[in-house]
């Protein structure tokens, strides 16, 4: 009877630990999805921006680049406080790259994508 009383708390502890592990795995999976989406949107912005170089402000491609830039900024928001190599946050880096045309900031954003495993989604 004493053994049963000792086993029940141990089983409860194991069940709680397993629940935390599943929750953490879900959080990591969600974070990974956010990172993948950000890198995909960043790459799409780079592609639209590069195509924009050969068009005029009156062309539809010019407006499309602005919309794709908005998508990239929107995708960055849940990750804005993540650190990037070279200093700063992903939010600061993305804004500098997209709004200010800062090539160094763009390189840091691309490096962030490489660091989180999605380098193939950027240009």
């Amino acid at each position: 009877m004493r053994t049963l009383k000792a086993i029940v708390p141990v089983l409860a502890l194991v069940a709680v630990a397993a629940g935390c592990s599943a929750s953490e795995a879900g959080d990591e999976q969600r974070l990974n999805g956010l990172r993948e989406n950000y890198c995909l949107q960043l790459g799409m912005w780079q592609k639209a921006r590069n195509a924009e170089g050969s068009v005029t402000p009156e062309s539809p491609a010019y407006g499309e680049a602005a919309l794709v830039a908005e998508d990239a900024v929107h995708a960055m928001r849940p990750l804005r406080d993540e650190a990037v190599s070279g200093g700063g946050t992903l939010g600061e880096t993305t804004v500098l790259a997209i709004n200010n045309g800062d090539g160094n900031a763009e390189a840091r954003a691309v490096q962030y994508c490489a660091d989180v495993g999605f380098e193939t989604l950027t240009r």
Side-chain angles (χ1 to χ4, degrees), residues 63-111:
E64 184 179 325
L67 292 174
V68 174
E70 286 180 36
D71 290 343
V73 169
H74 181 70
M76 168 275 303
R77 286 187 180 130
L79 303 167
R80 69 183 166 270
D81 295 328
E82 292 212 341
V84 295
S85 62
T89 65
L90 187 61
E92 296 163 342
T93 300
T94 302
V95 169
L96 287 172
I98 292 176
N99 291 349
N100 297 352
D102 185 329
N104 291 328
E106 184 177 344
R108 289 192 308 274
V110 169
Q111 183 59 50

Side-chain angles (χ1 to χ4, degrees), residues 35-45 113 118 121-122:
R35 288 172 172 164
E36 181 179 20
N37 184 51
Y38 168 75
C39 295
L40 176 65
Q41 296 302 324
L42 181 68
M44 291 175 67
W45 166 74
C113 289
F118 296 109
L121 299 177
T122 58

